[in-house]
């Protein structure tokens, strides 16, 4: 049995230099939905390395967990955060990004959103 879903794509140029509530919000799962993140990439178009952190905000526990933590992204390169895996999020969950230095990396996300009345 296949489930119907919406596909969304989000992009963000990171400017935040600290995480948690101060980080740049890449994506928030809408109310009454679940989401499957199947593409999450960090693009560093700069001529120097950048250090990136992506956090998952878990709405039900109101806490943050690291998806990647101070990961060095090589200059002029793309880092695949999710490579063949899927990240499952629920209503109100967020992905938040920050770069320890001056920012400037871009983050790209693609997800499937599934309607779920129980959320």
């Amino acid at each position: 049995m296949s489930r119907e879903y919406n596909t969304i794509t989000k992009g963000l140029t990171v400017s935040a230099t600290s995480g948690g509530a101060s980080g740049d919000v890449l994506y928030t799962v809408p109310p009454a939905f679940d989401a499957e993140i199947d593409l999450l990439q960090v693009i560093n178009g700069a001529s120097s390395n950048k250090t990136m952190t992506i956090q998952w905000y878990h709405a039900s526990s109101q806490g943050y967990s690291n998806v990647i933590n101070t990961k060095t992204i090589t200059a002029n390169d793309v880092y695949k955060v999710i490579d063949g895996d899927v990240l499952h999020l629920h209503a109100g969950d967020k992905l938040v990004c920050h770069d320890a230095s001056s920012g400037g990396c871009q983050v790209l996300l693609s997800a499937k959103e599934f309607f779920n009345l129980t959320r």
Side-chain angles (χ1 to χ4, degrees), residues 7-71:
T7 301
I8 60 103
T9 302
K10 299 283 184 174
L12 170 73
T13 299
V14 178
S15 61
T17 56
S18 62
S22 299
D24 292 330
V25 177
L26 171 64
Y27 173 67
T28 303
V29 181
F33 280 85
D34 292 324
E36 292 180 359
I37 312 301
D38 51 11
L39 179 120
L40 182 58
Q41 296 180 339
V42 179
I43 300 102
N44 181 4
S47 58
S48 61
N49 295 349
K50 298 283 187 174
T51 304
M52 176 66 74
T53 297
I54 299 176
Q55 296 176 303
W56 160 52
Y57 173 77
H58 189 234
S60 67
S61 68
Q62 299 182 350
Y64 291 86
S65 298
N66 290 328
V67 177
I68 58 172
N69 187 23
T70 60
K71 170 70 177 162

Side-chain angles (χ1 to χ4, degrees), residues 53-105:
T53 297
I54 299 176
Q55 296 176 303
W56 160 52
Y57 173 77
H58 189 234
S60 67
S61 68
Q62 299 182 350
Y64 291 86
S65 298
N66 290 328
V67 177
I68 58 172
N69 187 23
T70 60
K71 170 70 177 162
T72 299
I73 311 300
T74 307
N76 298 309
D77 201 7
V78 175
Y79 174 68
K80 295 179 183 178
V81 179
I82 296 176
D83 194 11
D85 295 323
V86 176
L87 181 62
H88 296 272
L89 304 177
H90 303 292
D93 289 357
K94 301 176 188 180
L95 290 178
V96 179
C97 310
H98 74 277
D99 179 346
S101 60
S102 60
C105 281

